[in-house]
Amino acid sequence: MKVAEGVGRALSAAGVRQVFGVVGSGNFHLTNAMVAAGSSYVAARHEGGAATMADAYARVSGALTALSVHQGPGLTNALTGIAEAAKSRTPLLVLAAEVTEPRSNFHIGQEALARAVGAAPMRITSAEDAVGQALAAARRAVHERRTVLLNLPLEVQALQAPDGVPAQPGPLPARAPVEPTAADVTALAHLLEEARRPVFVAGRGARSPGAADALEALADHCGALLATSAVAAGLFHGNPWSLDVSGGFASPLAAELIGAADAIVGWGCALNMWTMRHGALIGPGATVVQVDDEASALGAHRKVGLGVTGDVELTARRVLAAGGEKRQGRRTADVAAAVAARVRWRDVPYEDTSGGGRIDPRTLSIALDDLLPAERVIGVDSGNFMGYPVMYLSVPDENGLCFTQAFQSIGLGLATAIGAALARPDRLPVAALGDGGALMGAAELDTVRRLGLPMVVVVYNDDGYGAEVHHFGPDGHPLDTVEFPETDIAAVARGYGFEAVTVRERTDLRAVRDWLSGPRSAPLLIDAKVVKDRGSWWLEEAFRGH
């Protein structure tokens, strides 16, 4: 047995059961060994797509996932997706073949590339240590919540594995939850007891049913309102005290109630410029608390009055058990009525600007929210359009929206939706894209069709890079570099085997209803020609964040 085969078998046996990639000569034997050992493999059409699929699958499934790439260009093609995963602290194992001969065309500093995008580099160095080093990389990815690049030199892969090398290790141990100190629990319990208008904002670290239950119970006890960051959207779906997403996508009522809080507690949430609108959602005199299982995260983006190192669910349950009388907080009849009537964006009045062969993106999104099944999983690209699906398309829980926006790259949305769809095959997958991102990632339309995914791809098509159009246009700058002739993206999709419809007005969505009621034997792309003269108000926040 060669080292490549031994490493592949060991990783599969250790629990790496899903692999994405593009196979070349350098990762051929390793990938095949994982498949032979029982791992599932998805072939993407581009390594960038494969990386984002793996990232999204890991986020939604909660399972350690692998990306397999060829040496040199295979890795560089995947770098944007790897950077997104690394910035998001996704436990992801990147298996990259490596050339160590400097004269080879494929030779690059792969270790340096990993560090440059925030991934942790590791390397297989010998036949004797290969399996142990591979398992150590997998453990590091899980226990440190890191994207780990494991370099596999071709000459080591080709060596004969020594007799007795274990190829059937046990499953990787899970990351142990961090117990908060008694002093921190007491301090947080006292702070919440004194608060009259508390708001909980849950983030990535709270994305689990157990954490949601614990936070809802504690919020009920202390009278707190509930909100999430964008990456945890849907966590409190159905709770009558949920304000939905905090930050740039918050509705006017949500922003008002969060801004009036006298205590804001971030649970597994960075409370960064996006979630707090550059601090504008923190009212004068409000106490800011952050709970995170990594001490280095506390206060990283915002000065906090209290920082608690601990697992979100454990900490919430410990604080609830600390006792104290149940308090009303902000949970009054007036607030309840306002939340029920006005917290959703679709309940906020607006002037429909549809016309001239183009549909208002708000009208489009509300109509799609009504049409699409409630059990959905949505992948969103980046760009001028991106707030509309986040704000207007509801999701059933914390696994209903996969938000790959840590790097703010366009072109990742379709691959995001593919990875999320494979992690949740029980739900209708929806990819929400701009025309720029759709055309960047168009190669993966083939992957959707090939996998037989009953996906709905919605393209908010304004024939340009809308973020730049609306940011620079008002100042009179020439826009020739960011505007394009109208493109028939529906025709492109049909070429890949999709059903497709062009939407210019609400009545055109009848074809979507027909597709939903039919066999869904082919995926559907909606080429929505959206109005071009309206910039999204959250856009300036994005440019301020550069």
mmCIF file with all atom_site columns, all heavy atoms in Angstrom, residues 215-224 319-320 323-328 331:
data_model
loop_
_atom_site.group_PDB
_atom_site.id
_atom_site.type_symbol
_atom_site.label_atom_id
_atom_site.label_alt_id
_atom_site.label_comp_id
_atom_site.label_asym_id
_atom_site.label_entity_id
_atom_site.label_seq_id
_atom_site.pdbx_PDB_ins_code
_atom_site.Cartn_x
_atom_site.Cartn_y
_atom_site.Cartn_z
_atom_site.occupancy
_atom_site.B_iso_or_equiv
_atom_site.pdbx_formal_charge
_atom_site.auth_seq_id
_atom_site.auth_comp_id
_atom_site.auth_asym_id
_atom_site.auth_atom_id
_atom_site.pdbx_PDB_model_num
ATOM 1   N N   . LEU A 1 215 ? -30.558 29.719 24.970 1.00 0.00 ? 215 LEU A N   1
ATOM 2   C CA  . LEU A 1 215 ? -30.673 31.174 24.906 1.00 0.00 ? 215 LEU A CA  1
ATOM 3   C C   . LEU A 1 215 ? -32.124 31.618 25.011 1.00 0.00 ? 215 LEU A C   1
ATOM 4   O O   . LEU A 1 215 ? -32.425 32.637 25.658 1.00 0.00 ? 215 LEU A O   1
ATOM 5   C CB  . LEU A 1 215 ? -30.049 31.686 23.612 1.00 0.00 ? 215 LEU A CB  1
ATOM 6   C CG  . LEU A 1 215 ? -28.526 31.565 23.517 1.00 0.00 ? 215 LEU A CG  1
ATOM 7   C CD1 . LEU A 1 215 ? -28.036 31.990 22.138 1.00 0.00 ? 215 LEU A CD1 1
ATOM 8   C CD2 . LEU A 1 215 ? -27.860 32.413 24.596 1.00 0.00 ? 215 LEU A CD2 1
ATOM 9   N N   . GLU A 1 216 ? -33.028 30.894 24.384 1.00 0.00 ? 216 GLU A N   1
ATOM 10  C CA  . GLU A 1 216 ? -34.444 31.253 24.491 1.00 0.00 ? 216 GLU A CA  1
ATOM 11  C C   . GLU A 1 216 ? -34.946 31.122 25.919 1.00 0.00 ? 216 GLU A C   1
ATOM 12  O O   . GLU A 1 216 ? -35.722 31.966 26.397 1.00 0.00 ? 216 GLU A O   1
ATOM 13  C CB  . GLU A 1 216 ? -35.276 30.401 23.540 1.00 0.00 ? 216 GLU A CB  1
ATOM 14  C CG  . GLU A 1 216 ? -35.092 30.764 22.080 1.00 0.00 ? 216 GLU A CG  1
ATOM 15  C CD  . GLU A 1 216 ? -35.963 29.957 21.142 1.00 0.00 ? 216 GLU A CD  1
ATOM 16  O OE1 . GLU A 1 216 ? -36.157 28.760 21.386 1.00 0.00 ? 216 GLU A OE1 1
ATOM 17  O OE2 . GLU A 1 216 ? -36.456 30.552 20.171 1.00 0.00 ? 216 GLU A OE2 1
ATOM 18  N N   . ALA A 1 217 ? -34.484 30.087 26.621 1.00 0.00 ? 217 ALA A N   1
ATOM 19  C CA  . ALA A 1 217 ? -34.900 29.907 28.015 1.00 0.00 ? 217 ALA A CA  1
ATOM 20  C C   . ALA A 1 217 ? -34.371 31.030 28.904 1.00 0.00 ? 217 ALA A C   1
ATOM 21  O O   . ALA A 1 217 ? -35.094 31.582 29.744 1.00 0.00 ? 217 ALA A O   1
ATOM 22  C CB  . ALA A 1 217 ? -34.416 28.551 28.534 1.00 0.00 ? 217 ALA A CB  1
ATOM 23  N N   . LEU A 1 218 ? -33.101 31.388 28.718 1.00 0.00 ? 218 LEU A N   1
ATOM 24  C CA  . LEU A 1 218 ? -32.520 32.467 29.514 1.00 0.00 ? 218 LEU A CA  1
ATOM 25  C C   . LEU A 1 218 ? -33.168 33.809 29.160 1.00 0.00 ? 218 LEU A C   1
ATOM 26  O O   . LEU A 1 218 ? -33.456 34.629 30.055 1.00 0.00 ? 218 LEU A O   1
ATOM 27  C CB  . LEU A 1 218 ? -31.012 32.531 29.288 1.00 0.00 ? 218 LEU A CB  1
ATOM 28  C CG  . LEU A 1 218 ? -30.259 33.632 30.037 1.00 0.00 ? 218 LEU A CG  1
ATOM 29  C CD1 . LEU A 1 218 ? -30.451 33.500 31.548 1.00 0.00 ? 218 LEU A CD1 1
ATOM 30  C CD2 . LEU A 1 218 ? -28.773 33.613 29.675 1.00 0.00 ? 218 LEU A CD2 1
ATOM 31  N N   . ALA A 1 219 ? -33.402 34.043 27.868 1.00 0.00 ? 219 ALA A N   1
ATOM 32  C CA  . ALA A 1 219 ? -34.041 35.293 27.445 1.00 0.00 ? 219 ALA A CA  1
ATOM 33  C C   . ALA A 1 219 ? -35.444 35.408 28.026 1.00 0.00 ? 219 ALA A C   1
ATOM 34  O O   . ALA A 1 219 ? -35.879 36.495 28.436 1.00 0.00 ? 219 ALA A O   1
ATOM 35  C CB  . ALA A 1 219 ? -34.078 35.366 25.921 1.00 0.00 ? 219 ALA A CB  1
ATOM 36  N N   . ASP A 1 220 ? -36.158 34.301 28.075 1.00 0.00 ? 220 ASP A N   1
ATOM 37  C CA  . ASP A 1 220 ? -37.501 34.300 28.659 1.00 0.00 ? 220 ASP A CA  1
ATOM 38  C C   . ASP A 1 220 ? -37.442 34.663 30.146 1.00 0.00 ? 220 ASP A C   1
ATOM 39  O O   . ASP A 1 220 ? -38.305 35.372 30.667 1.00 0.00 ? 220 ASP A O   1
ATOM 40  C CB  . ASP A 1 220 ? -38.140 32.925 28.471 1.00 0.00 ? 220 ASP A CB  1
ATOM 41  C CG  . ASP A 1 220 ? -39.568 32.874 28.971 1.00 0.00 ? 220 ASP A CG  1
ATOM 42  O OD1 . ASP A 1 220 ? -40.399 33.660 28.469 1.00 0.00 ? 220 ASP A OD1 1
ATOM 43  O OD2 . ASP A 1 220 ? -39.864 32.079 29.882 1.00 0.00 ? 220 ASP A OD2 1
ATOM 44  N N   . HIS A 1 221 ? -36.395 34.208 30.821 1.00 0.00 ? 221 HIS A N   1
ATOM 45  C CA  . HIS A 1 221 ? -36.251 34.454 32.261 1.00 0.00 ? 221 HIS A CA  1
ATOM 46  C C   . HIS A 1 221 ? -35.922 35.924 32.558 1.00 0.00 ? 221 HIS A C   1
ATOM 47  O O   . HIS A 1 221 ? -36.430 36.500 33.528 1.00 0.00 ? 221 HIS A O   1
ATOM 48  C CB  . HIS A 1 221 ? -35.160 33.553 32.841 1.00 0.00 ? 221 HIS A CB  1
ATOM 49  C CG  . HIS A 1 221 ? -35.000 33.681 34.318 1.00 0.00 ? 221 HIS A CG  1
ATOM 50  N ND1 . HIS A 1 221 ? -35.878 33.095 35.213 1.00 0.00 ? 221 HIS A ND1 1
ATOM 51  C CD2 . HIS A 1 221 ? -34.082 34.347 35.073 1.00 0.00 ? 221 HIS A CD2 1
ATOM 52  C CE1 . HIS A 1 221 ? -35.507 33.385 36.453 1.00 0.00 ? 221 HIS A CE1 1
ATOM 53  N NE2 . HIS A 1 221 ? -34.425 34.150 36.391 1.00 0.00 ? 221 HIS A NE2 1
ATOM 54  N N   . CYS A 1 222 ? -35.073 36.525 31.712 1.00 0.00 ? 222 CYS A N   1
ATOM 55  C CA  . CYS A 1 222 ? -34.640 37.892 32.016 1.00 0.00 ? 222 CYS A CA  1
ATOM 56  C C   . CYS A 1 222 ? -35.317 38.938 31.137 1.00 0.00 ? 222 CYS A C   1
ATOM 57  O O   . CYS A 1 222 ? -34.986 40.127 31.226 1.00 0.00 ? 222 CYS A O   1
ATOM 58  C CB  . CYS A 1 222 ? -33.124 38.003 31.916 1.00 0.00 ? 222 CYS A CB  1
ATOM 59  S SG  . CYS A 1 222 ? -32.459 37.800 30.259 1.00 0.00 ? 222 CYS A SG  1
ATOM 60  N N   . GLY A 1 223 ? -36.250 38.526 30.295 1.00 0.00 ? 223 GLY A N   1
ATOM 61  C CA  . GLY A 1 223 ? -37.007 39.481 29.492 1.00 0.00 ? 223 GLY A CA  1
ATOM 62  C C   . GLY A 1 223 ? -36.248 40.054 28.321 1.00 0.00 ? 223 GLY A C   1
ATOM 63  O O   . GLY A 1 223 ? -36.511 41.185 27.903 1.00 0.00 ? 223 GLY A O   1
ATOM 64  N N   . ALA A 1 224 ? -35.314 39.294 27.752 1.00 0.00 ? 224 ALA A N   1
ATOM 65  C CA  . ALA A 1 224 ? -34.494 39.802 26.657 1.00 0.00 ? 224 ALA A CA  1
ATOM 66  C C   . ALA A 1 224 ? -35.178 39.596 25.309 1.00 0.00 ? 224 ALA A C   1
ATOM 67  O O   . ALA A 1 224 ? -35.876 38.595 25.084 1.00 0.00 ? 224 ALA A O   1
ATOM 68  C CB  . ALA A 1 224 ? -33.138 39.110 26.651 1.00 0.00 ? 224 ALA A CB  1
ATOM 69  N N   . VAL A 1 319 ? -25.993 30.347 33.651 1.00 0.00 ? 319 VAL A N   1
ATOM 70  C CA  . VAL A 1 319 ? -26.551 31.627 34.101 1.00 0.00 ? 319 VAL A CA  1
ATOM 71  C C   . VAL A 1 319 ? -28.017 31.467 34.491 1.00 0.00 ? 319 VAL A C   1
ATOM 72  O O   . VAL A 1 319 ? -28.467 32.022 35.504 1.00 0.00 ? 319 VAL A O   1
ATOM 73  C CB  . VAL A 1 319 ? -26.384 32.692 33.006 1.00 0.00 ? 319 VAL A CB  1
ATOM 74  C CG1 . VAL A 1 319 ? -27.096 33.983 33.388 1.00 0.00 ? 319 VAL A CG1 1
ATOM 75  C CG2 . VAL A 1 319 ? -24.901 32.970 32.755 1.00 0.00 ? 319 VAL A CG2 1
ATOM 76  N N   . LEU A 1 320 ? -28.757 30.700 33.714 1.00 0.00 ? 320 LEU A N   1
ATOM 77  C CA  . LEU A 1 320 ? -30.168 30.458 34.059 1.00 0.00 ? 320 LEU A CA  1
ATOM 78  C C   . LEU A 1 320 ? -30.287 29.733 35.394 1.00 0.00 ? 320 LEU A C   1
ATOM 79  O O   . LEU A 1 320 ? -31.149 30.053 36.229 1.00 0.00 ? 320 LEU A O   1
ATOM 80  C CB  . LEU A 1 320 ? -30.831 29.645 32.946 1.00 0.00 ? 320 LEU A CB  1
ATOM 81  C CG  . LEU A 1 320 ? -32.319 29.313 33.141 1.00 0.00 ? 320 LEU A CG  1
ATOM 82  C CD1 . LEU A 1 320 ? -33.147 30.596 33.224 1.00 0.00 ? 320 LEU A CD1 1
ATOM 83  C CD2 . LEU A 1 320 ? -32.825 28.431 32.000 1.00 0.00 ? 320 LEU A CD2 1
ATOM 84  N N   . GLY A 1 323 ? -30.247 31.409 38.994 1.00 0.00 ? 323 GLY A N   1
ATOM 85  C CA  . GLY A 1 323 ? -31.467 31.829 39.683 1.00 0.00 ? 323 GLY A CA  1
ATOM 86  C C   . GLY A 1 323 ? -31.780 33.284 39.507 1.00 0.00 ? 323 GLY A C   1
ATOM 87  O O   . GLY A 1 323 ? -31.420 33.921 38.512 1.00 0.00 ? 323 GLY A O   1
ATOM 88  N N   . GLY A 1 324 ? -32.454 33.826 40.513 1.00 0.00 ? 324 GLY A N   1
ATOM 89  C CA  . GLY A 1 324 ? -32.966 35.187 40.417 1.00 0.00 ? 324 GLY A CA  1
ATOM 90  C C   . GLY A 1 324 ? -34.410 35.159 39.944 1.00 0.00 ? 324 GLY A C   1
ATOM 91  O O   . GLY A 1 324 ? -34.869 34.198 39.325 1.00 0.00 ? 324 GLY A O   1
ATOM 92  N N   . GLU A 1 325 ? -35.136 36.213 40.243 1.00 0.00 ? 325 GLU A N   1
ATOM 93  C CA  . GLU A 1 325 ? -36.539 36.269 39.867 1.00 0.00 ? 325 GLU A CA  1
ATOM 94  C C   . GLU A 1 325 ? -36.701 36.501 38.363 1.00 0.00 ? 325 GLU A C   1
ATOM 95  O O   . GLU A 1 325 ? -35.895 37.181 37.745 1.00 0.00 ? 325 GLU A O   1
ATOM 96  C CB  . GLU A 1 325 ? -37.236 37.391 40.633 1.00 0.00 ? 325 GLU A CB  1
ATOM 97  C CG  . GLU A 1 325 ? -37.344 37.131 42.132 1.00 0.00 ? 325 GLU A CG  1
ATOM 98  C CD  . GLU A 1 325 ? -38.170 38.206 42.812 1.00 0.00 ? 325 GLU A CD  1
ATOM 99  O OE1 . GLU A 1 325 ? -38.672 39.098 42.093 1.00 0.00 ? 325 GLU A OE1 1
ATOM 100 O OE2 . GLU A 1 325 ? -38.292 38.153 44.040 1.00 0.00 ? 325 GLU A OE2 1
ATOM 101 N N   . LYS A 1 326 ? -37.760 35.952 37.835 1.00 0.00 ? 326 LYS A N   1
ATOM 102 C CA  . LYS A 1 326 ? -38.065 36.175 36.425 1.00 0.00 ? 326 LYS A CA  1
ATOM 103 C C   . LYS A 1 326 ? -38.459 37.633 36.228 1.00 0.00 ? 326 LYS A C   1
ATOM 104 O O   . LYS A 1 326 ? -39.185 38.218 37.038 1.00 0.00 ? 326 LYS A O   1
ATOM 105 C CB  . LYS A 1 326 ? -39.198 35.252 35.975 1.00 0.00 ? 326 LYS A CB  1
ATOM 106 C CG  . LYS A 1 326 ? -39.487 35.319 34.479 1.00 0.00 ? 326 LYS A CG  1
ATOM 107 C CD  . LYS A 1 326 ? -40.509 34.267 34.073 1.00 0.00 ? 326 LYS A CD  1
ATOM 108 C CE  . LYS A 1 326 ? -40.768 34.345 32.568 1.00 0.00 ? 326 LYS A CE  1
ATOM 109 N NZ  . LYS A 1 326 ? -41.724 33.310 32.104 1.00 0.00 ? 326 LYS A NZ  1
ATOM 110 N N   . ARG A 1 327 ? -37.984 38.220 35.130 1.00 0.00 ? 327 ARG A N   1
ATOM 111 C CA  . ARG A 1 327 ? -38.200 39.644 34.901 1.00 0.00 ? 327 ARG A CA  1
ATOM 112 C C   . ARG A 1 327 ? -38.875 39.878 33.556 1.00 0.00 ? 327 ARG A C   1
ATOM 113 O O   . ARG A 1 327 ? -38.686 39.118 32.614 1.00 0.00 ? 327 ARG A O   1
ATOM 114 C CB  . ARG A 1 327 ? -36.866 40.388 34.961 1.00 0.00 ? 327 ARG A CB  1
ATOM 115 C CG  . ARG A 1 327 ? -36.198 40.240 36.331 1.00 0.00 ? 327 ARG A CG  1
ATOM 116 C CD  . ARG A 1 327 ? -34.780 40.727 36.345 1.00 0.00 ? 327 ARG A CD  1
ATOM 117 N NE  . ARG A 1 327 ? -33.858 39.972 35.509 1.00 0.00 ? 327 ARG A NE  1
ATOM 118 C CZ  . ARG A 1 327 ? -33.367 38.770 35.811 1.00 0.00 ? 327 ARG A CZ  1
ATOM 119 N NH1 . ARG A 1 327 ? -33.750 38.153 36.927 1.00 0.00 ? 327 ARG A NH1 1
ATOM 120 N NH2 . ARG A 1 327 ? -32.515 38.171 35.015 1.00 0.00 ? 327 ARG A NH2 1
ATOM 121 N N   . GLN A 1 328 ? -39.633 40.962 33.487 1.00 0.00 ? 328 GLN A N   1
ATOM 122 C CA  . GLN A 1 328 ? -40.360 41.276 32.254 1.00 0.00 ? 328 GLN A CA  1
ATOM 123 C C   . GLN A 1 328 ? -39.429 41.849 31.196 1.00 0.00 ? 328 GLN A C   1
ATOM 124 O O   . GLN A 1 328 ? -39.563 41.549 30.011 1.00 0.00 ? 328 GLN A O   1
ATOM 125 C CB  . GLN A 1 328 ? -41.484 42.273 32.542 1.00 0.00 ? 328 GLN A CB  1
ATOM 126 C CG  . GLN A 1 328 ? -42.314 42.605 31.305 1.00 0.00 ? 328 GLN A CG  1
ATOM 127 C CD  . GLN A 1 328 ? -43.398 43.632 31.579 1.00 0.00 ? 328 GLN A CD  1
ATOM 128 O OE1 . GLN A 1 328 ? -43.162 44.626 32.246 1.00 0.00 ? 328 GLN A OE1 1
ATOM 129 N NE2 . GLN A 1 328 ? -44.595 43.382 31.080 1.00 0.00 ? 328 GLN A NE2 1
ATOM 130 N N   . ARG A 1 331 ? -40.231 42.779 27.357 1.00 0.00 ? 331 ARG A N   1
ATOM 131 C CA  . ARG A 1 331 ? -41.308 41.945 26.816 1.00 0.00 ? 331 ARG A CA  1
ATOM 132 C C   . ARG A 1 331 ? -42.668 42.459 27.272 1.00 0.00 ? 331 ARG A C   1
ATOM 133 O O   . ARG A 1 331 ? -43.361 41.836 28.075 1.00 0.00 ? 331 ARG A O   1
ATOM 134 C CB  . ARG A 1 331 ? -41.084 40.489 27.204 1.00 0.00 ? 331 ARG A CB  1
ATOM 135 C CG  . ARG A 1 331 ? -39.803 39.921 26.609 1.00 0.00 ? 331 ARG A CG  1
ATOM 136 C CD  . ARG A 1 331 ? -39.695 38.431 26.773 1.00 0.00 ? 331 ARG A CD  1
ATOM 137 N NE  . ARG A 1 331 ? -38.574 37.888 26.023 1.00 0.00 ? 331 ARG A NE  1
ATOM 138 C CZ  . ARG A 1 331 ? -38.397 36.594 25.763 1.00 0.00 ? 331 ARG A CZ  1
ATOM 139 N NH1 . ARG A 1 331 ? -39.260 35.705 26.204 1.00 0.00 ? 331 ARG A NH1 1
ATOM 140 N NH2 . ARG A 1 331 ? -37.348 36.184 25.068 1.00 0.00 ? 331 ARG A NH2 1
#
